[in-house]
Amino acid sequence: MSKAIDRAIGVRQGEELDLVKLRTYLKENNIEIQDEISVKQFPGGFSNLTYLINVGTKKYVLRKPPFGANIKSAHDMGREFRVLSSLKPVYTKIPMPIVYCEDDGVLGSSFYLMERVKGIILRNKIPSGLKLTPTHFKKLSHQTIENLVDLHSLELEKSNLISLGKPEGYVHRQVEGWIKRYVKAETDEIPAMNTAAAWMQNNMPLKETRAFIHNDYKYDNLVLDADSLDIKAVLDWEMSTVGDPLMDLGTTLAYWVEAKDHPALQSYNLTWIEGNLTRQEVVEKYADLRGINVNDVLFYYVFGCFKLGVIAQQIYARYKQGYTKDERFAQLIHLVKACGKNAENAIKYNRINNFY
């Protein structure tokens, strides 16, 4: 399956890096540079930009915010670097963080460097050369939820992970915060998104628990071993914090697309392919592994759908404003509408799947 390993391609127009300044910075920070630097870009992802930095036989991954982004909380490179540094002693499935640069004068924004974890990443289609059966997806979907439970079970105090978030009042802050982000980025009137926003404000759960949460946990943030397809690493920690783990589960459920969901959603995740757990089965497995009751999952799923819709809306708005020329972003308005529709249907039918 080595042919299916995630590969970088040429850098997209308008997203080039200043290699002279990058080389100088790395040398000044004790990163051994004996050969010329070459750069490629990973094609997946819609948020932060991710580059493959080649220096002779050594390979690194560089992460930086997209050009024109002003959403600090979603593109805080320093915080993502600190999260990786804090996780390293207690959780093994992450890349090794190497160096963080907060000087905008080097590459136009802050950025950080980490090791490259080589493996397969499942994005919007099965990679060329890779044959996956329902049995493969059954194993992967189970492992994905097992690993999410592992994250939610990390000890907070002795590890000092507790310093990465403010769990008190987390649900309320998240609901109000994502609604404000949506209003700020809104380009089209989408009634279903407004319905979801109002419903969340009136149906917040009374009780909250706390755990370390990823907040963007899905297949294309997992690096899989090329031979076993086991999870080698989890990527994209920019939104991780300490908060209610059911909010994290809700986000994962929103990404967990099923075969009858809108095609706009199926274009961004492979959980709809035969062999994967259904959303309801995900909840049942998660609840069983944690030994908890998740009967009130409706709220968390609606929140996840709304949040995913807002993320897509923010990126779409940036495209409309001309900050990026990546044509993938032109279609994101359909994803926003599909997310709103799933949230609306969940409220209407009082369930998280089988809407159609």
Side-chain angles (χ1 to χ4, degrees):
M1 297 185 184
S2 60
K3 292 182 180 179
I5 288 175
D6 196 51
R7 302 181 190 281
I9 59 175
V11 177
R12 289 189 289 265
Q13 183 179 359
E15 297 179 351
E16 298 86 356
L17 303 180
D18 188 324
L19 299 188
V20 174
K21 289 184 177 179
L22 178 60
R23 180 185 180 90
T24 300
Y25 175 82
L26 294 179
K27 289 184 70 174
E28 290 175 350
N29 285 271
N30 301 315
I31 308 296
E32 186 177 348
I33 304 292
Q34 295 180 343
D35 302 282
E36 290 300 314
I37 295 178
S38 65
V39 176
K40 292 185 176 181
Q41 188 173 22
F42 289 99
F46 290 87
S47 183
N48 292 317
L49 304 178
T50 308
Y51 301 86
L52 178 65
I53 310 298
N54 296 290
V55 185
T57 59
K58 295 184 177 181
K59 297 181 184 296
Y60 306 99
V61 170
L62 185 149
R63 294 260 292 168
K64 72 180 297 295
F67 294 91
N70 59 5
I71 313 162
K72 293 182 179 180
S73 62
H75 304 284
D76 188 340
M77 296 294 95
R79 190 176 186 284
E80 187 171 351
F81 185 82
R82 184 161 69 94
V83 167
L84 288 173
S85 301
S86 299
L87 278 174
K88 200 62 185 175
V90 295
Y91 183 72
T92 60
K93 295 178 181 177
I94 56 172
M96 175 70 75
I98 297 173
V99 66
Y100 164 66
C101 174
E102 62 181 351
D103 182 2
D104 292 354
V106 180
L107 296 181
S109 68
S110 61
F111 67 90
Y112 75 89
L113 208 68
M114 62 183 175
E115 70 167 329
R116 187 200 179 182
V117 180
K118 201 171 183 180
I120 294 169
I121 297 179
L122 298 181
R123 293 195 171 93
N124 61 340
K125 61 183 179 180
I126 297 175
S128 177
L130 182 63
K131 294 182 178 180
L132 295 180
T133 67
T135 300
H136 287 122
F137 277 111
K138 180 179 180 180
K139 175 187 175 182
L140 174 60
S141 59
H142 279 270
Q143 276 199 4
T144 299
I145 303 310
E146 290 163 3
N147 187 62
L148 182 63
V149 170
D150 288 344
L151 282 174
H152 293 173
S153 302
L154 290 175
E155 192 277 332
L156 299 177
E157 303 294 342
K158 293 180 181 178
S159 65
N160 202 36
L161 290 175
I162 189 66
S163 67
L164 295 172
K166 298 177 180 178
E168 293 77 15
Y170 179 78
V171 172
H172 182 270
R173 290 198 309 276
Q174 287 293 296
V175 169
E176 296 300 330
W178 284 103
I179 290 174
K180 288 179 181 178
R181 293 182 189 100
Y182 180 68
V183 171
K184 186 176 181 179
E186 188 176 14
T187 56
D188 301 56
E189 184 177 352
I190 304 175
M193 288 292 284
N194 296 326
T195 295
W199 184 88
M200 287 191 299
Q201 289 177 314
N202 292 319
N203 290 273
M204 291 189 213
L206 298 177
K207 295 183 179 180
E208 297 183 37
T209 58
R210 66 180 191 175
F212 180 81
I213 58 180
H214 183 277
N215 259 334
D216 200 31
Y217 189 78
K218 51 190 168 70
Y219 276 3
D220 69 355
N221 278 336
L222 305 177
V223 182
L224 309 179
D225 182 87
D227 296 318
S228 66
L229 293 182
D230 290 336
I231 298 172
K232 289 180 68 176
V234 181
L235 306 176
D236 294 4
W237 296 89
E238 66 263 31
M239 290 195 288
S240 61
T241 187
V242 176
D244 192 318
L246 295 184
M247 297 287 270
D248 204 12
L249 175 64
T251 299
T252 295
L253 289 171
Y255 280 117
W256 204 276
V257 184
E258 295 186 356
K260 293 184 179 181
D261 284 339
H262 193 283
L265 290 163
Q266 293 180 11
S267 300
Y268 296 97
N269 210 341
L270 297 180
T271 51
W272 58 272
I273 296 177
E274 183 183 358
N276 284 286
L277 296 168
T278 66
R279 283 193 287 268
Q280 187 58 43
E281 288 170 340
V282 166
V283 173
E284 291 168 1
K285 181 173 181 64
Y286 178 89
D288 182 62
L289 289 173
R290 291 199 62 206
I292 62 173
N293 185 309
V294 196
N295 287 340
D296 56 351
V297 70
L298 180 66
F299 171 84
Y300 303 102
Y301 176 66
V302 171
F303 166 77
C305 290
F306 184 82
K307 173 183 168 183
L308 176 55
V310 177
I311 292 171
Q313 179 63 53
Q314 289 175 320
I315 301 169
Y316 178 73
R318 210 164 57 239
Y319 171 82
K320 291 282 285 185
Q321 293 163 3
Y323 287 119
T324 175
K325 300 183 183 301
D326 190 332
E327 289 300 323
R328 296 178 303 157
F329 298 166
Q331 304 303 315
L332 286 179
I333 191 63
H334 302 299
L335 179 59
V336 181
K337 293 177 180 179
C339 288
K341 190 63 177 176
N342 266 15
E344 186 178 55
N345 280 334
I347 295 167
K348 178 180 178 180
Y349 297 113
N350 194 33
R351 57 178 182 259
I352 65 172
N353 60 354
N354 297 325
F355 305 139
Y356 307 101

